[in-house]
Amino acid sequence: MRPVVRLKTPAVIVNCKVYTEVEGSGALNLALVCDRVAEETGIGIAVCPPMVELGRVTDRVSLPVFSQNVDPRKPGSGTGYTTPTAVKAAGAYGTLINHSEHKQPAADVGTCVSMCRDLDLYTCVCADTVDVAKELAAFKPRMIAVEPPELIGGDISVTTANPKIVQDTVEAVESVDSDVMVLCGAGVKTGEDVKAAVDLGAHGVLLASGVVKAKDPENVLRDLIKHL
Ligand code: G3P
């Protein structure tokens, strides 16, 4: 395992989801691209490989690697669950929690955040509305990522389609705990989208298809960070 760098902000977190492009060695190849660009530019880039590729990726990169999920479970009998301790042992820097494609009850989100905090795992909790973001900020994750589900996977960035949700989430989360940073995501594809996110008060973006499904992910990634 290589020494891992701290996640800087503004941050670009690339969620690989479970797209075909990142099955098998595809996840490591994409992570190596992200790692190279992060090292060359000094920009805060993190990657969330598919769960089954987590260890293979952490073994080979220095950039922060996130799990796509954790369950609020301790080690022991729990077939198919992902424990925070296992994610830590696999070399992850942090984890997403409650992505809109993998939701958990609010109480479980709180338990996951607290378990991760005890393990020094960085937490990025997803929320699909301003109200949910405000509710989940009370658990004091490191980041809240607001993503309107209807814009996920599309070509119109949340910063264009619904800039108000970004501004309102920044304000709402700040009113609960000013140490919790806010990301936004859904449809983010270009450097202009990322700049708009930062101009709206976000500490960065959480994105997927723009990079993962691109013909030339490195080119897209360099474009995404060009204004940072
Ligand atoms: O986790 C990132 C996400 O849900 C946004 O996906 O494809 O719209 O960038 P995408």
Side-chain angles (χ1 to χ4, degrees), residues 152-191:
I152 290 178
D155 286 325
I156 304 175
S157 170
V158 59
T159 54
T160 305
N162 193 355
K164 193 166 161 16
I165 197 174
V166 183
Q167 282 169 315
D168 289 354
T169 302
V170 169
E171 200 180 304
V173 169
E174 163 93 29
S175 76
V176 176
D177 187 335
S178 56
D179 287 337
V180 179
M181 293 181 276
V182 172
L183 304 183
C184 63
V188 174
K189 296 273 192 301
T190 69

Side-chain angles (χ1 to χ4, degrees), residues 91-116:
Y93 179 86
T95 185
L96 304 181
I97 298 169
N98 197 46
H99 192 280
S100 67
E101 294 153 8
H102 201 133
K103 281 192 175 178
Q104 306 209 38
D108 285 0
V109 173
T111 305
C112 288
V113 170
S114 154
M115 292 173 83
C116 289

Side-chain angles (χ1 to χ4, degrees), residues 15 17 19 99 101 147 151-154 186-188 206-209:
N15 178 9
K17 303 197 175 181
Y19 284 118
H99 192 280
E101 294 153 8
E147 300 193 317
L151 298 173
I152 290 178
V188 174
L206 176 62
L207 62 89
S209 52

Side-chain angles (χ1 to χ4, degrees), residues 25-223:
S25 57
L28 177 59
N29 291 339
L30 181 63
L32 288 170
V33 167
C34 295
D35 200 36
R36 184 166 65 242
V37 174
E39 197 174 335
E40 274 175 34
T41 61
I43 300 291
I45 300 172
V47 69
C48 320
M51 304 302 282
V52 293
E53 298 296 333
L54 197 56
R56 173 149 63 153
V57 170
T58 60
D59 276 350
R60 294 281 306 280
V61 299
S62 299
L63 87 172
V65 177
F66 279 55
S67 173
Q68 292 184 10
N69 178 55
V70 288
D71 296 303
R73 306 283 292 219
K74 291 185 177 154
S77 53
T79 305
Y81 286 98
T82 303
T83 58
T85 50
V87 163
K88 180 77 180 181
Y93 179 86
T95 185
L96 304 181
I97 298 169
N98 197 46
H99 192 280
S100 67
E101 294 153 8
H102 201 133
K103 281 192 175 178
Q104 306 209 38
D108 285 0
V109 173
T111 305
C112 288
V113 170
S114 154
M115 292 173 83
C116 289
R117 189 181 302 117
D118 291 346
L119 293 164
D120 198 24
L121 274 173
Y122 200 105
T123 45
C124 177
V125 168
C126 301
D128 48 13
T129 66
V130 178
D131 288 345
V132 170
K134 193 170 180 183
E135 180 190 4
L136 300 182
F139 297 128
K140 298 181 180 296
R142 298 291 297 274
M143 289 173 160
I144 292 270
V146 64
E147 300 193 317
E150 68 279 9
L151 298 173
I152 290 178
D155 286 325
I156 304 175
S157 170
V158 59
T159 54
T160 305
N162 193 355
K164 193 166 161 16
I165 197 174
V166 183
Q167 282 169 315
D168 289 354
T169 302
V170 169
E171 200 180 304
V173 169
E174 163 93 29
S175 76
V176 176
D177 187 335
S178 56
D179 287 337
V180 179
M181 293 181 276
V182 172
L183 304 183
C184 63
V188 174
K189 296 273 192 301
T190 69
E192 284 64 38
D193 299 337
V194 177
K195 180 176 184 310
V198 172
D199 290 346
L200 289 165
H203 288 84
V205 296
L206 176 62
L207 62 89
S209 52
V211 169
V212 179
K213 294 181 73 62
K215 281 207 178 78
D216 184 346
E218 177 161 352
N219 202 30
V220 173
L221 195 57
R222 288 188 188 275
D223 178 68

